[in-house]
Amino acid sequence: MVTLKDYGDYETAWCPGCGNFSILKAVKQALVASQIRRQDVIFVSGIGQAAKAPHYLNVNLFDGLHGRSLPVATGVKLANPKMTVIVESGDGCNYGEGGNHFLAAIRRNIDVTLLVHNNQVYGLTKGQASPTSETGFVTKVQPEGVASFSFNPVAAAVALQAGFVARGFAGMVDHLALIIQEAIAHRGFSLVDILQPCVSFNKVNTFSWYKSRCKEVATDYDPTNWETAMKTAEEWGNTIPIGILYRNKRPSYESHFPALKEGPLVGKGVDRELLTKILESYR
Amino acid sequence: MDETLNILIGGEAGQGLVTVGEILAKSLVRSGYYIVVTQSYMSRIRGGHNTFSVRVSPKEILASQEAVDLIVALDDLTLTLHEKDLTPQGRIVADQGCGADEKICLKVPFGHLASDQFSNIAALGVVSGLIGLKEEVVGRTLEDFFGKKAPGIVEENHRVLREAMVWTLSQPPFMGKLPPFPNPPQRMMMQGNEAIAMGAISAGLKFYSFYPMTPSTSIGQTLAKWAGKMGLVVEQAEDEIAAINMALGASYAGAPSMVGTSGGGFALMVEGVSLAGMTETPIVIAVAQRPGPATGLPTRTEQADLQFVLYAGHGEFPRAIFAPGTVEECFHLTRRAFALAEKYQGPVFILTDQFLSDSYRSIGPFEVEKLPLAEPSWDAVPASLPYRRFAVTENGISPRLLPGWSEHRVVAGSDEHTEDGHLTEDLSVRKKMVEKRLKKMGGIRREVIPPEFKGDKNPDLLLVTWGSTKGSVLEAASHLKSRGRRAGTLYFPQLWPLVQEQFLSMLQEARQVVCVEGNATGQLAKLIRQETGFEIKGRVSRYDGLPITPEFILRQLN
């Protein structure tokens, strides 16, 4: 029986009031609800305030470089497909520095769950614009406001027919935990974009700003309908839809490798007789 | 440079030149000869001018040669460009319509022997007939190459080959044949990249990721070919940054991992090298050099990334660099790289170049039944509790567990970390961790493969070299000795770390020392001076994109 206690309780280095606390809580709830033993999960994170989150969980962790969590997670999953692999990092890490890896992970449909703490601003480097900052968002290095168009991660993911696309809100912990649980259970790539306030550097998209806009999709919403999902993913205004926006049943990437049919690559040894035969083919 | 036959096949890309070259080379190996292949090609798929040179000898050879004994011209441009390279007794095979001198040129009615599609096979038949290869051997090799094609094509290949050989044998004697081997030994034909792939598999490689880049791509291609059978995962990544990070993820999870690339791709991997150093994750990195800076000459050769590979990665952490000099060494040093990467838990390099990557050789069997796997550095259970992934130890090597294989938590962090892997800003821990990581260098130093000295003691001339230039230096030295010069060679199969006790006296005892390397700034010479204080004044440098040949060395020395 897996309990919250298994995943530990740690002191953090976040600002008081940070949305990360609620996300950490939701992640723990989801892991317990999924009854995943802590030794059966590997977290991968990058750099940023969000990327510290798995350090506050009693789990295996590869905390790598800024933007590079998805390739590391892909390598982990391909080496040991038996493990549950979860990436946790921020909007700058995944959509900025790691943008190419985000697209490639979706295309592969690798069975990795990507949790993006999306506060629409860079926290660790103190308040510069992120790829998801809204046009016009004013910062110390964008004093005239952000000129670029804001990146919509869920719309991009739905457009690419990602295996599982969801949006959650840090202010609705139980709802977020359910989404994360579904994302983990999904075989294939799953994205959970998590809206969260940054109390220090984002004075526009505050807790109450999100709270008044985030609305769960209707109970009869059909996430397997791509056209509807595309429309819903594009919605961003007075209403921001949250929930599971899209899902499909594409085969997951690791299922394509003959080498993985017999489980992890670890400790497999080498069939020397076969290798000798292969070498003979060079004669 | 005697007793060998240097055949140059030239033509446009897309004419089937490499196919003919490979079939000829393999037929030669199967007939018992030693070969050194040099492939010179342009960065295009059709047109242009490419050459495939096979240097053949009944005795072992390790170098290519510039002077050509037999030109096989698949187009007119080949004659224009290479006739000047012919030896005094040199001969040409070309179409009957060409303008070459009939005394030295066998004019072949290619149009009568074969349709355009099969004219390369006709050329193969003519050369085979001229040098005395058996039709049975060439035909069998032809079949191995085209076995899967439509039966009609296989039959036509055989017909054209036979007709071309029969035609050639009906001509008046044109050139001497190779001495035959009654019972040819069974050797393999392999190029540097294939040998790296095979060495890696035999050492226990399970995961390879890469982004295609000439001249490294055929490592991945070879591994992909055997991945299903040998239980490997080979992944073409979205870029080189992803490639190295994937390999580190796979290695962290327990799969012995490798990446392969060339200069520009390696530039993208550099942050990952540093990550391997910090997270103490085993990884083998094969860098096949080509001329830079930037895109440089994508399909040519150079040895100008030694200093780059040596210093790649921010911060200070241990590494080892191997630079194979032959195809056999590509195999064995790759195995060695896996053993070191596992043992010392960090990045280990194989540094080659386009010449060696693409150079087919005749090589002896690798008795893989007897070769051990790289000893895995992980344990099933911790030796002591509580388990600490980065515990400070006497030799700097910390106990490695794999995530998910026990209840113990395995944390790897790119931030400076405590012994249990969590990020820290405790500066006394920082100092201990730097020292712990660098301590591993002591062990790596104790296992360094010493440079190979050959030739006369206290020589008048000592030629120092590394990597693929080895063969040419050995041959140039033996040529000098045959002319009465006291010459020696010092070849470095491992470039980092350098242990001066292994070689400094040899440098000091030589009257003159010359460093032979394929770059403009003398990178090994500089490194030796940095590590030992010994200044090598003489330089033979080549940086025009072509491999250093014995003739090049002798010309530069004069």
Side-chain angles (χ1 to χ4, degrees):
Chain A
M1 183 71 185
V2 178
T3 66
L4 280 174
K5 220 177 130 199
D6 295 346
Y7 284 95
D9 204 3
Y10 299 81
E11 202 180 306
T12 78
W14 293 323
C15 310
C18 179
N20 285 338
F21 292 103
S22 321
I23 300 173
L24 182 61
K25 197 173 166 205
V27 170
K28 275 190 204 173
Q29 280 183 24
L31 288 166
V32 172
S34 310
Q35 284 294 297
I36 295 173
R37 297 186 309 166
R38 56 173 193 78
Q39 60 263 46
D40 295 334
V41 62
I42 297 178
F43 273 75
V44 180
S45 72
I47 298 299
Q49 294 293 6
K52 292 177 186 170
H55 281 281
Y56 311 134
L57 286 168
N58 185 19
V59 290
N60 298 302
L61 165 65
F62 191 105
D63 180 3
L65 298 172
H66 190 53
R68 314 301 171 212
S69 339
L70 279 172
V72 171
T74 303
V76 168
K77 188 71 188 183
L78 290 177
N80 190 349
K82 285 194 343 206
M83 300 295 287
T84 296
V85 182
I86 301 175
V87 169
E88 193 167 8
S89 215
D91 42 326
C93 199
N94 287 301
Y95 306 142
E97 190 87 33
N100 194 21
H101 312 312
F102 177 65
L103 300 181
I106 292 173
R107 286 182 50 229
R108 285 194 182 95
N109 201 32
I110 184 85
D111 186 16
V112 162
T113 296
L114 171 61
L115 308 178
V116 184
H117 298 213
N118 181 1
N119 55 12
Q120 302 184 257
V121 74
Y122 281 64
L124 192 63
T125 52
K126 300 190 176 177
Q128 302 79 22
S130 96
T132 53
S133 294
E134 290 182 12
T135 308
F137 183 69
V138 175
T139 80
K140 276 187 192 161
V141 291
Q142 285 93 13
E144 308 299 324
V146 171
S148 299
F149 201 65
S150 164
F151 179 66
N152 180 337
V154 292
V158 174
L160 290 168
Q161 305 196 23
F164 180 105
V165 185
R167 186 194 277 135
F169 170 42
M172 296 165 69
V173 175
D174 292 342
H175 176 253
L176 178 60
L178 278 175
I179 293 177
I180 295 173
Q181 192 186 339
E182 288 282 316
I184 292 170
H186 177 80
R187 294 279 76 84
F189 182 78
S190 50
L191 165 68
V192 185
D193 183 68
I194 307 165
L195 300 173
Q196 66 160 131
C198 173
V199 289
S200 299
F201 300 109
N202 191 339
K203 309 292 184 193
V204 179
N205 312 102
T206 60
F207 181 83
S208 57
W209 188 94
Y210 287 122
K211 176 98 180 140
S212 65
R213 287 166 175 81
C214 287
K215 300 273 175 330
E216 284 180 51
V217 291
T219 45
D220 63 346
Y221 178 84
D222 175 14
T224 63
N225 184 323
W226 183 78
E227 282 84 5
T228 321
M230 207 58 239
K231 249 185 222 165
T232 313
E234 284 287 358
E235 271 180 57
W236 184 272
N238 290 332
T239 300
I240 300 172
I242 59 169
I244 297 164
L245 305 182
Y246 178 66
R247 67 196 309 171
N248 63 34
K249 287 186 175 162
R250 281 166 60 197
S252 68
Y253 196 60
E254 62 282 2
S255 67
H256 299 294
F257 289 87
L260 298 176
K261 299 268 187 270
E262 285 159 43
L265 296 176
V266 181
K268 273 275 156 52
V270 173
D271 183 340
R272 284 148 204 268
E273 229 168 273
L274 194 51
L275 183 57
T276 302
K277 277 208 184 107
I278 287 174
L279 285 167
E280 277 167 11
S281 74
Y282 287 84
R283 289 211 295 233
Chain B
M1 278 156 271
D2 312 310
E3 293 184 350
T4 72
L5 178 73
N6 194 24
I7 307 167
L8 178 142
I9 309 167
E12 288 180 16
Q15 276 191 314
L17 168 108
V18 175
T19 310
V20 170
E22 286 181 358
I23 296 171
L24 177 65
K26 189 137 192 182
S27 303
L28 285 162
V29 171
R30 286 177 168 177
S31 306
Y33 302 101
Y34 287 91
I35 58 164
V36 171
V37 167
T38 309
Q39 296 197 54
S40 179
Y41 49 98
M42 295 174 78
S43 189
R44 55 196 284 178
I45 306 302
R46 299 272 161 179
H49 177 71
N50 296 345
T51 63
F52 187 104
S53 307
V54 194
R55 189 176 181 215
V56 194
S57 171
K59 294 188 188 142
E60 186 169 25
I61 43 169
L62 294 172
S64 60
Q65 179 186 305
E66 290 170 22
V68 181
D69 302 301
L70 177 62
I71 291 176
V72 182
L74 300 184
D75 65 356
D76 291 342
L77 190 60
T78 300
L79 289 179
T80 316
L81 292 174
H82 299 287
E83 206 171 335
K84 62 171 173 40
D85 301 328
L86 275 181
T87 54
Q89 292 76 39
R91 294 287 184 269
I92 296 168
V93 168
D95 187 70
Q96 60 183 7
C98 82
D101 182 351
E102 283 193 25
K103 278 188 260 155
I104 60 162
C105 180
L106 180 64
K107 300 202 169 185
V108 185
F110 280 118
H112 293 289
L113 291 173
S115 63
D116 271 2
Q117 191 194 340
F118 294 93
S119 63
N120 61 339
I121 302 301
L124 173 70
V126 173
V127 180
S128 303
L130 279 177
I131 63 177
L133 289 177
K134 291 192 180 121
E135 190 198 323
E136 183 272 320
V137 176
V138 186
R140 182 158 50 89
T141 311
L142 193 61
E143 212 158 283
D144 291 345
F145 270 71
F146 291 108
K148 285 174 197 150
K149 294 232 170 165
I153 292 182
V154 176
E155 279 158 24
E156 182 63 5
N157 271 328
H158 277 290
R159 194 194 64 76
V160 171
L161 178 72
R162 187 172 314 119
E163 204 145 305
M165 287 186 87
V166 167
W167 178 86
T168 307
L169 297 174
S170 73
Q171 300 301 303
F174 177 66
M175 60 182 284
K177 290 181 167 46
L178 291 167
F181 278 93
N183 291 306
Q186 290 218 322
R187 281 196 290 262
M188 298 179 288
M189 182 176 91
M190 215 177 255
Q191 40 163 239
N193 280 350
E194 289 169 335
I196 288 175
M198 289 301 150
I201 296 176
S202 79
L205 170 88
K206 288 289 173 278
F207 187 90
Y208 183 82
S209 45
F210 72 109
Y211 186 88
M213 183 165 186
T214 306
S216 64
T217 313
S218 55
I219 301 173
Q221 240 162 33
T222 307
L223 290 169
K225 185 172 171 188
W226 305 117
K229 279 193 169 162
M230 294 308 297
L232 325 173
V233 167
V234 176
E235 178 63 2
Q236 181 179 325
E238 56 271 28
D239 55 36
E240 286 87 348
I241 302 172
I244 192 165
N245 278 282
M246 276 181 197
L248 291 174
S251 179
Y252 162 74
S257 299
M258 177 163 82
V259 292
T261 186
S262 186
F266 181 62
L268 290 178
M269 291 187 177
V270 167
E271 63 165 17
V273 175
S274 189
L275 179 63
M278 187 56 142
T279 56
E280 305 195 42
T281 307
I283 184 166
V284 175
I285 303 166
V287 179
Q289 299 163 101
R290 69 190 219 188
T295 311
L297 290 168
T299 59
R300 311 296 168 153
T301 201
E302 200 161 87
Q303 295 179 294
D305 291 334
L306 164 59
Q307 295 275 351
F308 176 35
V309 164
L310 177 59
Y311 296 113
H314 47 297
E316 299 171 302
F317 53 90
R319 77 186 71 203
I321 304 172
F322 296 100
T326 64
V327 171
E328 277 101 337
E329 287 178 18
C330 285
F331 180 87
H332 291 293
L333 291 179
T334 301
R335 293 177 43 76
R336 181 101 179 137
F338 272 90
L340 281 195
E342 276 291 320
K343 184 168 177 184
Y344 295 100
Q345 304 177 15
V348 177
F349 294 90
I350 301 288
L351 190 58
T352 63
D353 52 43
Q354 180 266 331
F355 167 57
L356 187 58
S357 294
D358 291 338
S359 184
Y360 286 107
R361 310 279 171 98
S362 160
I363 56 174
F366 302 128
E367 292 177 338
V368 288
E369 304 88 348
K370 296 177 194 157
L371 298 174
L373 292 176
E375 193 78 38
S377 64
W378 46 270
D379 306 312
V381 288
S384 63
L385 291 173
Y387 170 63
R388 292 194 183 97
R389 170 67 187 95
F390 299 102
V392 174
T393 61
E394 196 83 354
N395 57 11
I397 302 171
S398 303
R400 184 175 169 225
L401 295 192
L402 300 182
W405 295 82
S406 74
E407 78 271 25
H408 300 283
R409 189 180 181 198
V410 185
V411 178
S414 70
D415 281 82
E416 189 55 273
H417 41 254
T418 53
E419 286 185 296
D420 59 7
H422 288 290
L423 53 92
T424 183
E425 296 195 38
D426 180 330
L427 304 186
S428 65
V429 173
R430 154 70 182 175
K431 187 163 174 284
K432 265 187 215 147
M433 281 296 163
V434 171
E435 289 159 3
K436 178 201 107 67
R437 287 189 289 267
L438 290 178
K439 256 192 223 162
K440 294 191 286 183
M441 210 59 217
I444 296 174
R445 282 178 71 84
R446 278 190 292 280
E447 296 194 40
V448 164
I449 301 175
E452 290 169 16
F453 178 87
K454 279 203 174 130
D456 301 316
K457 287 223 161 137
N458 312 326
D460 283 342
L461 175 66
L462 179 64
L463 298 175
V464 177
T465 197
W466 62 280
S468 73
T469 308
K470 174 187 185 179
S472 293
V473 164
L474 286 174
E475 191 167 316
S478 88
H479 194 77
L480 290 168
K481 282 163 65 112
S482 73
R483 290 195 306 203
R485 196 108 191 246
R486 284 183 61 83
T489 59
L490 186 63
Y491 155 70
F492 287 80
Q494 185 167 356
L495 297 168
W496 190 258
L498 291 182
V499 178
Q500 66 170 25
E501 293 74 20
Q502 293 178 336
F503 63 87
L504 182 57
S505 62
M506 298 172 196
L507 296 173
Q508 288 163 338
E509 284 157 14
R511 203 172 61 79
Q512 188 196 357
V513 184
V514 173
C515 196
V516 183
E517 49 185 324
N519 58 64
T521 54
Q523 299 194 12
L524 175 62
K526 276 189 193 169
L527 184 59
I528 288 174
R529 188 176 185 187
Q530 172 191 304
E531 293 299 301
T532 67
F534 186 93
E535 185 183 5
I536 300 179
K537 294 204 176 76
R539 300 280 170 83
V540 168
S541 315
R542 185 163 206 177
Y543 42 87
D544 60 359
L546 295 173
I548 291 179
T549 58
E551 294 122 301
F552 182 87
I553 298 170
L554 296 173
R555 276 202 306 274
Q556 298 287 309
L557 288 174
N558 278 333

